[in-house]
Amino acid sequence: MNKKIFQLDTKTLHQIQDALYETCGIHLTDTKQTMIQNRINVLLKDSICANIHSFDDLFCAIKNNPQIRQSFINNFTTNKTDLFRESYHFDDMLNRTLIPLLQNNESINIFCSASSSGEEPYSIAATCMYAKNIYQSHSTIKIIATDIDTNMLNLAKKGEYTLDLRLNKIPDWVTLDNYFDILKTTPHNTMYLRAKKSLKDMITFRQLNLFSKSYPFSNNEFDMIFCRNVLIYFKQSDQEKILAKLHNILKVGGTLYLGHSEDILGLSSQFDRLGNKIFIKNSESLMGIF
Ligand SMILES: C[S@@+](CC[C@H](N)C(=O)[O-])C[C@H]1O[C@@H](n2cnc3c(N)ncnc32)[C@H](O)[C@@H]1O
């Protein structure tokens, strides 16, 4: 197989779509053919694919070689994220969810379930730190941040970001240098930031495939779950299975934050809807519908 110029035929295209779905649940339709072609080209140019000479070799490697399987997945994820993206969720944390927990000095557990390069969990950590200071609280706060993409997890652990303040609005209450070392600022309002150790210490980064059968957490473990802008990549039936697992690990009264174009689907009777894709768990049992 020529690794630089080759065309996918329909059968191979469907085999790639199936392999992606089976490994991580990402559902790509036939309209994404050009994108699939480009990403396969990038994968095959990687030195770990040096011994792959046909599509049969590739499918065999995806099945049997964990490094190539991971690289295949990493090539197909979409990782767009921002600091304080959909900032109304951080306002909701400040104005509602965190207050009783901090006032009672309760320990707080937060799950950030598709954390990409880490901007989301660092935004959560900064919000918690700010609120903890306001309430002079002794709460212990733990954030578990997961993603399937190992390249993103490595970036997240580094916590180094370029922030263009003309494109990425930061809430007024955020004083960036309380949470980030400002490495450089350009005259055009671009900042180079590194998350401070105090922020990093609140977060544990781990790999987790949301498509896996079960999650390594206990029932009712989390006070808040962020699952934003990832459900859109799955089929509706798989979104509902993921939502059911998240429902199990969220405490009754806990909050689920979804992305702007996502919804609670068939679980609407298990959650109260606050608006802005904010949902409160209202019951403990799912009637075995998924
Ligand atoms: C568009 S980003 C969203 C990042 C962040 N939640 C936000 O809203 O800014 C989607 C993330 O979901 C991750 N992802 C895709 N499929 C996944 C899966 N099966 N399990 C866990 N994470 C997955 C991707 O690697 C990517 O980092």
Side-chain angles (χ1 to χ4, degrees):
M1 180 168 56
N2 183 332
K3 286 187 185 168
K4 295 216 167 75
I5 311 159
F6 67 95
Q7 293 294 318
L8 297 176
D9 58 24
T10 309
K11 182 175 164 233
T12 315
L13 177 74
H14 289 161
Q15 282 176 301
I16 291 167
Q17 288 163 311
D18 290 348
L20 189 66
Y21 179 71
E22 280 157 25
T23 49
C24 63
I26 294 177
H27 170 58
L28 294 180
T29 57
D30 291 353
T31 56
K32 295 280 182 349
Q33 176 159 2
T34 310
M35 179 264 234
I36 294 172
Q37 172 118 42
N38 291 339
R39 297 201 185 185
I40 284 291
N41 287 351
V42 172
L43 173 66
L44 290 172
K45 281 185 196 150
D46 190 319
S47 58
I48 60 167
C49 291
N51 291 327
I52 289 178
H53 303 294
S54 67
F55 279 116
D56 283 345
D57 286 352
L58 178 65
F59 295 126
C60 185
I62 290 170
K63 251 197 188 119
N64 301 313
N65 179 326
Q67 202 191 358
I68 292 182
R69 182 164 56 244
Q70 186 61 56
S71 189
F72 171 67
I73 295 171
N74 291 355
N75 263 283
F76 276 97
T77 55
T78 302
N79 306 112
K80 156 115 189 81
T81 187
D82 276 318
L83 284 168
F84 295 95
R85 183 181 193 185
E86 295 166 26
S87 62
Y88 39 83
H89 288 161
F90 304 98
D91 294 338
D92 181 67
M93 282 178 74
L94 274 183
N95 297 325
R96 189 184 59 82
T97 37
L98 284 170
I99 298 172
L101 300 167
L102 290 172
Q103 282 178 335
N104 297 327
N105 294 311
E106 286 178 41
S107 48
I108 302 174
N109 290 315
I110 302 174
F111 178 32
C112 178
S113 71
S115 55
S116 189
S117 40
E119 286 90 329
E120 186 176 41
Y122 287 118
S123 304
I124 296 168
T127 307
C128 290
M129 216 183 243
Y130 177 77
K132 193 174 166 179
N133 200 30
I134 293 176
Y135 293 100
Q136 294 292 299
S137 171
H138 300 292
S139 287
T140 313
I141 301 169
K142 287 189 188 149
I143 301 162
I144 308 265
T146 64
D147 201 280
I148 197 169
D149 185 330
T150 48
N151 292 336
M152 289 305 118
L153 286 167
N154 288 335
L155 285 177
K157 285 176 200 163
K158 279 199 185 133
E160 292 178 356
Y161 303 109
T162 305
L163 175 65
D164 184 338
L165 290 168
R166 291 164 304 182
L167 303 175
N168 186 185
K169 270 248 158 260
I170 299 294
D172 292 343
W173 54 267
V174 178
T175 307
L176 278 171
D177 58 3
N178 284 347
Y179 314 108
F180 296 91
D181 294 321
I182 316 273
L183 306 177
K184 200 168 116 189
T185 307
T186 70
H188 305 296
N189 263 344
T190 299
M191 297 175 106
Y192 296 88
L193 310 172
R194 185 192 300 125
K196 285 190 193 275
K197 185 176 180 305
S198 50
L199 214 56
K200 287 185 171 174
D201 285 347
M202 295 169 71
I203 308 171
T204 306
F205 289 101
R206 281 198 223 165
Q207 190 183 31
L208 176 70
N209 183 355
L210 284 170
F211 196 55
S212 50
K213 278 211 159 51
S214 61
Y215 300 160
F217 306 118
S218 312
N219 283 352
N220 305 310
E221 181 165 338
F222 294 102
D223 300 282
M224 279 162 248
I225 296 179
F226 285 73
C227 183
R228 307 191 309 165
N229 305 302
V230 61
L231 291 176
I232 41 170
Y233 300 105
F234 302 118
K235 294 179 186 173
Q236 179 162 331
S237 56
D238 293 322
Q239 296 185 26
E240 288 180 333
K241 286 181 188 149
I242 291 169
L243 287 164
K245 284 176 274 187
L246 297 179
H247 177 274
N248 283 341
I249 60 176
L250 185 64
K251 289 179 186 169
V252 175
T255 301
L256 172 66
Y257 296 102
L258 299 182
H260 62 280
S261 56
E262 296 164 334
D263 212 275
I264 206 71
L265 305 171
L267 281 89
S268 55
S269 61
Q270 273 73 40
F271 287 93
D272 296 332
R273 186 184 289 267
L274 284 197
N276 273 341
K277 306 297 168 160
I278 303 169
F279 301 90
I280 316 290
K281 175 172 169 175
N282 64 16
S283 65
E284 256 181 287
S285 65
L286 275 175
M287 317 300 273
I289 43 176
F290 298 109

